[in-house]
Amino acid sequence: MHDFKYKKNRLYCESVDIEDIARKVSTPFYLYSYNTLLDHYKKLVSAFGPVKPLICYSMKANSNLALLRALVKAGSGLDIVSGGELYKALQAGCDPKKIVYASVGKTEAEIRQAVAKQILFFNVESFSELRVINKVASDLGVIASVALRINPDVEPKTHHYITTGKLTNKFGIDFKTAYNILQARGSFSHLKFNGLHMHIGSQIIQSTPYIQAIKKIIEFIKRVKIEGVTIEYLNIGGGLGIIYNEEKPQTAKEFASKILPLLKSTGLKIILEPGRFIVGNAGILVTKVLYLKKTPLKNFVIVDAGMNDLIRPSLYCAYHEILPLKQASGKREGLVKYDVVGPICESGDFLAKERKLPRIEEGEFLAVMSAGAYGFSMASNYNCRLKPAEVMVKGNQFYIIRKRDSYLDLARKDKIPEFLK
C-alpha cells in the first residue's frame, strides 16, 4: 500500500532514488509519496461510494501545507483541532463548509475565529463548550452549527494513550448527558444542532468496535427522533489502522463492507475523519548512521534522527520497520541485533530496540517506514535540535515542502530582558 520499493537493490520513492535526495537535502528528513497519499484517499472515496461521504482528513496526523493542498484539490475536507489548524486549512484552500472542528479544549478566541469563517460545524464535547459557542455566535449575530461528540463507551483494543471512546477518557459526552442537551436545545438560541459525532481511538485494526459504537448511536438517534430532534449528519470519526509490523488491518473496502449497511440504514449524511490511514504509509523518515557502538551487552546504531524527530517509539513503544537505502551485498550477509538510537540526551531516545537488521555500516542511510502520520506533526526542538526538512516526490521529481530549521529559528522568538544586558 505504498510507493517505497527496491529497484536494483536501491530504495526508491515512486521513480526517485531516495539516496540521491539524501545527498542533496541532507539528513534527517521526512519524505512523502504524492501517489501513495492520493491513492489512500481515493480508496476511501471508492469504498464508501454508496453513501457519498464527506471525507475530512484529520490534520493532526500531518499538517504540511503541500499535503493538505493535494488532498483538498482531490476533494477532501479537513478535520481540525485548533486555531492553528484552522489557519492552515484555510491557507490550503479548504472550503470552510468542508471543515469540522473537534478538540475538548477549544478557547473562546479559537471558537470566534471558526464561527466567523462559518465552518460546517463544531464537534462539541460539553455543556460548557455549547454555552461559549452560543455566546460567540450571538455576539456575531449568526447561527453556528454543532454536532454532539458522543462517547459510546466501547473498547477499541488499541494503545491506551490513543483510546478516546471509553467513559474514562476526557473526550465526548455520555448518552444521558447528550439526551439532556438535546432536550434543552431550545435554550441555545444561536446554535443549530445538526449532527452526532464519534471518534473511538486511533490505530484500530478491527471493525467490531466501530460496529458496536455505531449501533449504540443509531439507537440513540431513533430515541431522539421520536421526540422531534432532527439529525442531518453522522460523523463516525477516523482511527483506521495501518501496517507497522505484524498488524492485519482491514482494507478500506473490507471496513466499508462491514459498516455500510448500518450507515445506509440511518439515511443521514456521513462524514469520515481519517488521518493515519491516508498519510501514515505515504511517508518515511530518512536518517544517516553516524556511529556503530558495541558494548558487552548491546550493538548500538547511532543515527542523526532522534525522539525529537519521531517520538512514537519512545512515547508508545511503537514499531517502525527500518530498511537500508541500499540492500545488503554479499559481504554484509546475515542479520545482527541492534538498538537503533538517536543523539538526544535521554535513554528513551530510540527508534528501534533489539531489532534484527542486515549488518550496518557507518555513513549509510536508513529509512524509518510508515512515518507519515504523527511523525513531523509531533516533532520538537528538544536539545535545540533543528526540525527536519520535509520532501515530496511526484513521479520522477522531488520538491522540498518544508525547509529544515536554522539556528536562527531556535532563537528567533527568545528575548533577553534589559536587566540582563
Side-chain angles (χ1 to χ4, degrees):
M1 290 183 69
H2 59 71
D3 288 271
F4 298 94
K5 295 181 172 62
Y6 284 106
K7 299 177 184 179
K8 296 182 179 178
N9 294 326
R10 299 175 71 88
L11 191 61
Y12 275 68
C13 176
E14 299 188 24
S15 298
V16 179
D17 186 331
I18 298 173
E19 186 165 331
D20 288 345
I21 302 175
R23 297 197 181 280
K24 292 171 183 173
V25 174
S26 80
T27 54
F29 66 92
Y30 279 94
L31 179 63
Y32 308 110
S33 161
Y34 173 86
N35 186 60
T36 303
L37 180 79
L38 269 292
D39 182 58
H40 288 169
Y41 170 73
K42 290 173 184 175
K43 279 183 167 68
L44 284 170
V45 171
S46 174
F48 285 89
V51 293
K52 296 182 173 60
L54 171 60
I55 295 176
C56 293
Y57 165 72
S58 182
M59 281 181 61
K60 68 180 78 67
N62 191 316
S63 61
N64 182 280
L65 276 177
L67 301 181
L68 300 182
R69 181 61 182 158
L71 290 167
V72 166
K73 285 189 70 175
S76 179
L78 296 174
D79 160 42
I80 66 171
V81 295
S82 70
E85 286 193 351
L86 173 63
Y87 175 80
K88 292 193 80 172
L90 297 173
Q91 287 287 104
C94 188
D95 179 351
K97 289 303 180 186
K98 287 186 173 183
I99 295 176
V100 292
Y101 197 156
S103 170
V104 72
K106 309 173 188 75
T107 67
E108 183 170 337
E110 289 176 318
I111 289 168
R112 188 172 297 275
Q113 293 162 5
V115 171
K117 294 298 181 182
Q118 298 183 310
I119 64 168
L120 182 58
F121 54 68
F122 294 91
N123 294 325
V124 175
E125 308 255 5
S126 65
F127 248 126
S128 298
E129 184 187 332
L130 279 170
R131 287 193 285 267
V132 175
I133 298 172
N134 189 63
K135 173 187 175 296
V136 170
S138 177
D139 291 345
L140 296 176
V142 299
I143 302 295
S145 293
V146 297
L148 297 185
R149 177 172 179 174
I150 302 292
N151 185 322
D153 195 27
V154 297
E155 175 53 64
K157 298 179 182 178
T158 188
H159 192 286
H160 61 282
Y161 280 11
I162 49 179
T163 294
T164 59
K166 295 283 291 178
L167 288 181
T168 51
N169 302 130
K170 67 181 179 179
F171 301 99
I173 302 168
D174 63 276
F175 284 108
K176 182 179 179 181
T177 302
Y179 178 81
N180 292 337
I181 287 173
L182 291 175
Q183 289 293 301
R185 65 191 184 283
S187 61
F188 297 99
S189 59
H190 284 74
L191 297 185
K192 179 184 179 184
F193 291 78
N194 66 344
L196 295 177
H197 171 250
M198 67 175 229
H199 179 73
I200 59 175
S202 191
Q203 187 53 15
I204 302 168
I205 61 174
Q206 300 175 358
S207 60
T208 303
Y210 286 100
I211 292 170
Q212 292 172 341
I214 293 169
K215 283 183 175 178
K216 285 187 174 186
I217 289 180
I218 287 174
E219 288 305 308
F220 181 74
I221 290 170
K222 290 176 181 176
R223 179 185 176 195
V224 298
K225 187 176 181 180
I226 292 171
E227 302 192 24
V229 177
T230 301
I231 302 295
E232 184 180 1
Y233 288 94
L234 174 58
N235 183 339
I236 65 169
L240 288 176
I242 65 169
I243 298 171
Y244 285 105
N245 182 16
E246 296 178 352
E247 297 94 341
K248 292 181 172 60
Q250 308 156 97
T251 65
K253 191 173 182 180
E254 290 168 342
F255 176 61
S257 69
K258 292 173 183 175
I259 67 169
L260 272 174
L262 290 172
L263 300 181
K264 288 177 182 177
S265 73
T266 68
L268 303 180
K269 296 176 183 177
I270 303 300
I271 297 177
L272 282 75
E273 298 170 344
R276 189 192 313 269
F277 182 87
I278 289 176
V279 77
N281 280 326
I284 65 172
L285 174 64
V286 181
T287 184
K288 184 178 182 179
V289 177
L290 299 176
Y291 307 108
L292 300 178
K293 179 177 179 179
K294 186 175 178 60
T295 72
L297 298 178
K298 291 275 190 179
N299 290 305
F300 291 100
V301 176
I302 302 169
V303 297
D304 62 2
M307 62 185 289
N308 67 298
D309 302 299
L310 180 64
I311 199 172
R312 296 189 73 255
S314 300
L315 184 61
Y316 305 123
C317 289
Y319 180 102
H320 288 264
E321 185 180 12
I322 295 178
L323 299 175
L325 294 195
K326 290 181 181 177
Q327 284 184 314
S329 60
K331 66 178 181 179
R332 294 200 294 168
E333 286 179 354
L335 298 177
V336 179
K337 191 179 287 185
Y338 293 109
D339 279 14
V340 181
V341 300
I344 302 299
C345 294
E346 301 280 351
S347 294
D349 177 31
F350 63 90
L351 298 177
K353 285 192 171 184
E354 302 289 308
R355 187 71 60 84
K356 289 184 178 179
L357 297 169
R359 192 172 300 277
I360 288 173
E361 298 177 351
E362 291 181 358
E364 73 172 296
F365 299 103
L366 303 176
V368 184
M369 307 301 290
S370 306
Y374 306 102
F376 187 90
S377 66
M378 297 179 78
S380 75
N381 291 118
Y382 184 49
N383 279 190
C384 284
R385 303 287 298 181
L386 304 181
K387 284 187 183 178
E390 293 180 284
V391 180
M392 176 185 281
V393 166
K394 183 178 185 294
N396 61 2
Q397 299 289 322
F398 75 86
Y399 307 86
I400 295 175
I401 58 174
R402 186 189 187 277
K403 294 190 292 185
R404 188 181 311 281
D405 277 2
S406 68
Y407 288 138
L408 182 62
D409 292 321
L410 296 178
R412 190 186 303 276
K413 294 182 181 178
D414 293 5
K415 188 172 178 61
I416 299 175
E418 287 298 322
F419 78 90
L420 289 175
K421 294 181 180 177

